[in-house]
Amino acid sequence: MGKVHEATVSAPVNIAVIKYWGKRDSALILPTNSSLSVTLSQDHLSTRTTIRASPDFPADRLWLNGVEEDISASKRLVNSITTARKLREALEEKQRKDGIPAESVVPLSKWSIHVCSENNFPTAAGLASSASGYAALVSALGALYDLPQSTSELSRVARVGSGSACRSMFGGFVAWQAGVADDGNDSLAVQVANRQHWPELQALILVASDRKKAISSTAGMQTTVETSSLFAERVRTVVPQRMEAMKTAIANRDFENFAEITMRDSNQFHAVCLDTYPPISYMNDTSRAIVGLIHAFNAARGRIAAAYTYDAGPNAVIYALKDDMRDLVELFTFCFPREESMLADAFYPDPFGVFALPEEAGQRLTDPAVARLADTAGKYPAGSVRRIIHTEVGDGPRILPASQSLLSDVGMPKRARE
Amino acid sequence: MGKVHEATVSAPVNIAVIKYWGKRDSALILPTNSSLSVTLSQDHLSTRTTIRASPDFPADRLWLNGVEEDISASKRLVNSITTARKLREALEEKQRKDGIPAESVVPLSKWSIHVCSENNFPTAAGLASSASGYAALVSALGALYDLPQSTSELSRVARVGSGSACRSMFGGFVAWQAGVADDGNDSLAVQVANRQHWPELQALILVASDRKKAISSTAGMQTTVETSSLFAERVRTVVPQRMEAMKTAIANRDFENFAEITMRDSNQFHAVCLDTYPPISYMNDTSRAIVGLIHAFNAARGRIAAAYTYDAGPNAVIYALKDDMRDLVELFTFCFPREESMLADAFYPDPFGVFALPEEAGQRLTDPAVARLADTAGKYPAGSVRRIIHTEVGDGPRILPASQSLLSDVGMPKRARE
């Protein structure tokens, strides 16, 4: 057996504070407006992907969480892989032109690949994994193929897989510039600030139970573009202003402005969904209750101390500074009691020890003002929030050592589900 | 005892299909945009009001559903009564100028009044009564004072009490023209089509249980004007187009266009509420479920056979033609079972006999396509819908005979609560 050509990477989830919704080109995934996100820590949420290229593989194959998927069934997967292969092909071409002997140029672009990908968070968490998934895929291809392109350039390849995946190519605070070019050349991610820029910023993910099946965001957003009479105004006027204001807020570590813009933009995204025909609604009564709690919490604090944001589902992501997080965790565990059937680790990690003992969880309310607020709000039905994840701003994709590979010696998944 | 100067009227509820939301003048209640509504039958929903003027009354007094209210505490009540009195004063002035002997001009404008008002629907129905209430008040004052003003002119007086009340001054289909004058002279209601124009059109009111207390629409709409970045576009572009399209649909009895505009405008109203900061949400999971059921029902029918619309609360009003109503009633009683504690008449009236027997209600699904749809949708928690009212397009305020008076011989409420 010759040299193994393989790369293993992990890539993070990102949560937008200025929302992406609407494409100007569906094939290339070119958005109608720029967006901006915070990359979350891979300690709690990430996708790990191993890719191996081998002249012995008869075809490209892919396993997601242990289950083999048909690559050719996904145009987006094919697009991403094909685009990365072309970049590799160009590199091999250049190596040959540069006088490197043909036998030293490894023809990786000609070989089939095996892709094995796993999320470290359960699908049951209700969190979209396409952003971290495509960022991991493209980062692994970049590493495997030794591509010379910058991360921003590679983010274009992630973009053709899943729009918001381009933002998961960086850590910290990331803008996806909509761009204007027809070929999407200028539609890519850039880092606005790195992870170390604002270490106090933390996030809480509240996974809400929902009776309804989610509407595909791909289908939903194009219906919005076609039918909402308010959407054009958002794209033309509102988002450009907010992008600038948000960058300034981040640069200044100005939490109140960061939070207000985040909440307003989440609300407006859901407003244009509702203005779609037929209307799209992702938020449910639990989501609406969390919105109310956050505004009440901010009123109790006398400042904007927390922000909510919702993507294409009922789950809330709460941004707050470290010093306010304990009270928020206590408030949520009080108002959203666990259901008995829920796993002991449904709420994790638990730096404050608030989740630790089910019989005590939700009984401690350290701050008297928060206790009064919790008392007024009351308790929601047990299990309305079925998971809480306490996390923080994280770094971009990481290249992992070969020991972390998901593939066996022969290039098959180490773990596979029947 | 001399001649009794008294009038008793009843006035209807109206449900907007193009929504009023936002004022350009809060004192005069001048709206940012025109709106259009359907007046509902007084057989099922109405306010009855008796007003008597007497030189023996030491002060103005008012009883609402048997409970005395402090008139002076409500600027809107004072405004409406004062405006009507001024019109009466002008009439008395004119009568004297016209040579009618002073002793024959009854100085009603100088006398105090007793106002007694009752809704024929329980407050528990969760339906706003301010529109029918102010329309009844102003109609009764118009009759008592023998005012020569046209109904449109009097609708201005109802408007200063409660904006949408001006639309309850007419039966059938009614437009409230926003107007442009600073004094509100051209901000009034006009009848677009009368009750007889479209007799097949019916309405179903679904009263949804809600945990949340409603936000005052008066406070809410001004926050929208001030904070929503999408609201101006609605006012400037969307509503003027929809007003014209809606009038055409009504003129042509074109249910599909009527229904689609109704749904789109309801959705957009709630969209701008959500785009408000802090956001306002009136619809809950039950409301969202009903939206889904209506779109599924229309899909099953292969045409737009029903429309939903929501005001400042979670209750749905469904518009449909008579021939589609039975299936809708069956669908809703199937999907929203009654709670045991609910009153036997919670669903009324019952022309199809669907509500009649609790143990049978919701079991009959006549149409196979609707039965399939109901099966897919499943049953929502019992009591999610706690009242259904089946009604139709109705007439405008009615002047009732003296026998229907709510006041006793001495001008006090016949029925009063402790």
Side-chain angles (χ1 to χ4, degrees):
Chain A
M1 216 171 77
K3 181 178 184 297
V4 170
H5 294 277
E6 186 185 284
T8 298
V9 304
S10 75
V13 162
N14 75 77
I15 301 291
V17 289
I18 305 283
K19 300 295 187 192
Y20 155 54
W21 193 251
K23 299 184 186 69
R24 60 187 166 90
D25 184 307
S26 293
L28 294 171
I29 312 194
L30 302 180
T32 51
N33 57 265
S34 297
S35 54
L36 203 151
S37 59
V38 178
T39 296
L40 299 185
S41 170
Q42 293 174 62
D43 292 349
H44 311 125
L45 300 165
S46 76
T47 300
R48 185 193 300 182
T49 297
T50 298
I51 308 185
R52 185 186 298 194
S54 166
D56 302 332
F57 293 157
D60 291 341
R61 293 179 73 180
L62 176 141
W63 294 264
L64 282 184
N65 297 318
V67 178
E68 183 161 14
E69 308 277 336
D70 177 9
I71 294 182
S72 65
S74 166
K75 213 174 156 180
R76 292 162 160 235
L77 263 175
V78 171
N79 277 357
S80 299
I81 295 170
T82 307
T83 309
R85 257 197 192 115
K86 279 185 190 151
L87 295 177
R88 171 67 195 182
E89 212 171 278
L91 174 65
E92 293 167 12
E93 188 92 349
K94 186 177 176 295
Q95 288 174 335
R96 281 187 289 265
K97 274 190 187 159
D98 287 351
I100 295 175
E103 63 274 18
S104 298
V105 176
V106 188
L108 294 177
S109 66
K110 304 281 176 284
W111 299 351
S112 288
I113 56 173
H114 281 189
V115 180
C116 188
S117 192
E118 283 182 10
N119 299 322
N120 75 343
F121 49 96
T123 311
L127 296 162
S129 55
S130 67
S132 54
Y134 276 95
L137 176 80
V138 171
S139 298
L141 286 168
L144 170 69
Y145 289 160
D146 203 19
L147 296 179
Q149 278 77 15
S150 71
T151 306
S152 274
E153 288 168 322
L154 286 180
S155 77
R156 288 192 301 236
V157 187
R159 191 203 73 221
V160 302
S162 172
S164 58
C166 72
R167 297 187 312 239
S168 276
M169 295 294 284
F170 288 100
F173 302 82
V174 187
W176 174 10
Q177 299 173 340
V180 293
D182 283 344
D183 67 356
N185 204 46
D186 55 354
S187 186
L188 43 73
V190 294
Q191 192 177 55
V192 169
N194 67 21
R195 172 203 192 170
Q196 287 75 31
H197 170 71
W198 200 355
E200 298 82 13
L201 190 70
Q202 298 196 335
L204 212 56
I205 301 170
L206 305 175
V207 179
S209 295
D210 205 21
R211 184 193 158 101
K212 265 184 49 171
K213 260 220 301 229
I215 303 141
S216 139
S217 58
T218 301
M221 67 172 75
Q222 285 323 94
T223 316
T224 301
V225 174
E226 288 155 19
T227 66
S228 166
S229 43
L230 302 178
F231 181 69
E233 178 67 10
R234 165 170 170 75
V235 168
R236 194 170 47 225
T237 313
V238 181
V239 173
Q241 288 170 357
R242 285 188 184 159
M243 283 296 288
E244 291 317 303
M246 182 56 93
K247 286 177 194 168
T248 304
I250 291 167
N252 297 335
R253 288 184 280 268
D254 171 354
F255 184 78
E256 297 213 41
N257 272 311
F258 171 85
E260 183 172 333
I261 300 165
T262 295
M263 292 188 277
R264 282 178 178 265
D265 206 68
S266 173
N267 293 334
Q268 184 166 93
F269 154 49
H270 293 279
V272 299
C273 285
L274 193 47
D275 190 47
T276 301
Y277 184 82
I280 302 168
S281 35
Y282 291 117
M283 293 168 71
N284 64 16
D285 284 353
T286 304
S287 322
R288 302 195 314 146
I290 294 167
V291 166
L293 284 174
I294 292 294
H295 284 288
F297 182 80
N298 290 342
R301 280 287 203 262
R303 61 186 163 87
I304 305 181
Y308 50 79
T309 186
Y310 296 81
D311 285 323
N315 305 331
V317 176
I318 308 298
Y319 287 115
L321 298 179
K322 194 166 181 279
D323 287 348
D324 290 307
M325 232 357 145
R326 185 193 184 99
D327 288 333
L328 284 165
V329 168
E330 288 181 349
L331 174 65
F332 290 128
T333 41
F334 178 89
C335 292
F336 298 106
R338 269 180 273 195
E339 222 170 22
E340 284 202 21
S341 67
M342 280 165 57
L343 295 172
D345 69 344
F347 294 175
Y348 74 92
D350 189 13
F352 307 123
V354 174
F355 305 153
L357 298 165
E359 64 272 23
E360 286 184 26
Q363 299 314 312
R364 298 180 224 170
L365 289 157
T366 312
D367 183 276
V370 175
R372 279 192 300 277
L373 150 61
D375 203 52
T376 307
K379 285 180 184 291
Y380 286 80
S384 299
V385 168
R386 58 186 169 79
R387 191 172 280 272
I388 299 183
I389 301 161
H390 182 181
T391 186
E392 59 196 352
V393 187
D395 56 357
R398 301 171 182 166
I399 297 182
L400 303 179
S403 60
Q404 305 282 310
S405 171
L406 296 171
L407 293 171
S408 69
D409 289 348
V410 294
M412 293 298 284
K414 285 179 182 167
R415 281 182 299 179
R417 266 190 279 172
E418 290 306 297
Chain B
M1 215 171 79
K3 181 176 184 299
V4 170
H5 294 277
E6 186 183 283
T8 299
V9 304
S10 75
V13 161
N14 75 79
I15 301 291
V17 290
I18 306 283
K19 300 295 187 193
Y20 155 53
W21 192 253
K23 298 183 186 74
R24 59 185 166 92
D25 183 310
S26 293
L28 294 170
I29 310 194
L30 302 179
T32 50
N33 57 265
S34 296
S35 55
L36 203 150
S37 60
V38 178
T39 295
L40 299 185
S41 169
Q42 293 174 62
D43 293 349
H44 310 125
L45 300 165
S46 76
T47 299
R48 186 193 298 183
T49 297
T50 298
I51 307 185
R52 185 186 294 194
S54 166
D56 302 332
F57 292 159
D60 291 342
R61 294 178 73 179
L62 176 143
W63 293 263
L64 282 184
N65 297 317
V67 178
E68 183 160 15
E69 307 277 336
D70 177 9
I71 296 182
S72 65
S74 165
K75 211 172 154 182
R76 289 159 163 240
L77 263 175
V78 172
N79 276 357
S80 300
I81 295 170
T82 307
T83 308
R85 258 200 190 111
K86 279 185 188 151
L87 296 176
R88 170 67 194 181
E89 211 172 278
L91 174 65
E92 292 167 12
E93 187 89 351
K94 186 176 177 295
Q95 289 173 336
R96 279 187 292 266
K97 272 193 186 155
D98 287 352
I100 296 176
E103 63 275 17
S104 299
V105 176
V106 188
L108 294 177
S109 69
K110 305 280 176 283
W111 299 350
S112 289
I113 56 173
H114 281 187
V115 181
C116 188
S117 191
E118 284 182 8
N119 299 322
N120 76 344
F121 50 96
T123 310
L127 297 162
S129 55
S130 67
S132 55
Y134 276 96
L137 176 80
V138 171
S139 299
L141 287 169
L144 170 70
Y145 290 160
D146 203 19
L147 297 179
Q149 277 78 14
S150 71
T151 306
S152 273
E153 287 168 322
L154 286 180
S155 77
R156 288 192 300 235
V157 187
R159 191 204 72 221
V160 301
S162 172
S164 58
C166 71
R167 297 188 311 240
S168 276
M169 294 295 285
F170 288 101
F173 302 82
V174 188
W176 174 11
Q177 299 172 338
V180 293
D182 282 344
D183 66 357
N185 205 46
D186 55 355
S187 185
L188 42 73
V190 294
Q191 192 176 56
V192 169
N194 67 21
R195 173 202 191 168
Q196 287 76 31
H197 170 72
W198 199 355
E200 299 83 12
L201 189 71
Q202 298 195 335
L204 213 55
I205 301 170
L206 304 175
V207 179
S209 296
D210 205 19
R211 183 193 158 100
K212 265 183 49 170
K213 260 222 298 232
I215 302 140
S216 141
S217 57
T218 301
M221 66 172 77
Q222 285 322 95
T223 315
T224 301
V225 175
E226 288 156 20
T227 66
S228 165
S229 43
L230 302 178
F231 180 70
E233 179 69 10
R234 164 169 171 76
V235 168
R236 191 170 50 224
T237 313
V238 182
V239 173
Q241 289 170 358
R242 285 189 184 159
M243 282 296 289
E244 291 317 304
M246 182 56 91
K247 285 177 193 167
T248 304
I250 291 168
N252 298 335
R253 288 183 281 267
D254 171 355
F255 184 78
E256 296 213 42
N257 272 313
F258 171 85
E260 183 172 332
I261 301 165
T262 295
M263 291 187 279
R264 281 178 180 265
D265 206 69
S266 174
N267 293 335
Q268 185 166 92
F269 154 50
H270 293 279
V272 297
C273 284
L274 193 46
D275 190 46
T276 301
Y277 185 80
I280 301 169
S281 35
Y282 290 117
M283 294 168 70
N284 64 17
D285 284 352
T286 304
S287 322
R288 301 195 315 146
I290 294 167
V291 166
L293 284 174
I294 291 294
H295 284 288
F297 182 81
N298 291 341
R301 280 287 204 261
R303 60 185 164 85
I304 304 181
Y308 52 77
T309 186
Y310 296 81
D311 285 324
N315 305 332
V317 176
I318 309 299
Y319 288 114
L321 298 179
K322 194 164 180 282
D323 286 348
D324 289 309
M325 233 356 145
R326 185 191 183 99
D327 287 334
L328 283 165
V329 169
E330 289 181 349
L331 175 64
F332 289 128
T333 41
F334 178 88
C335 291
F336 298 105
R338 267 180 276 195
E339 222 171 24
E340 284 202 19
S341 65
M342 279 165 57
L343 295 172
D345 69 344
F347 293 176
Y348 75 91
D350 189 13
F352 306 122
V354 173
F355 304 151
L357 298 165
E359 64 273 23
E360 286 184 25
Q363 299 314 312
R364 298 180 224 171
L365 288 156
T366 311
D367 183 276
V370 175
R372 277 193 300 276
L373 151 60
D375 204 51
T376 307
K379 285 181 183 293
Y380 287 79
S384 299
V385 169
R386 59 186 168 81
R387 191 171 280 273
I388 298 183
I389 301 162
H390 182 182
T391 187
E392 59 196 352
V393 186
D395 56 358
R398 303 169 181 167
I399 295 181
L400 303 179
S403 61
Q404 304 283 308
S405 171
L406 296 171
L407 292 172
S408 68
D409 289 349
V410 295
M412 293 297 284
K414 284 179 182 167
R415 281 183 298 180
R417 266 190 278 170
E418 293 305 300

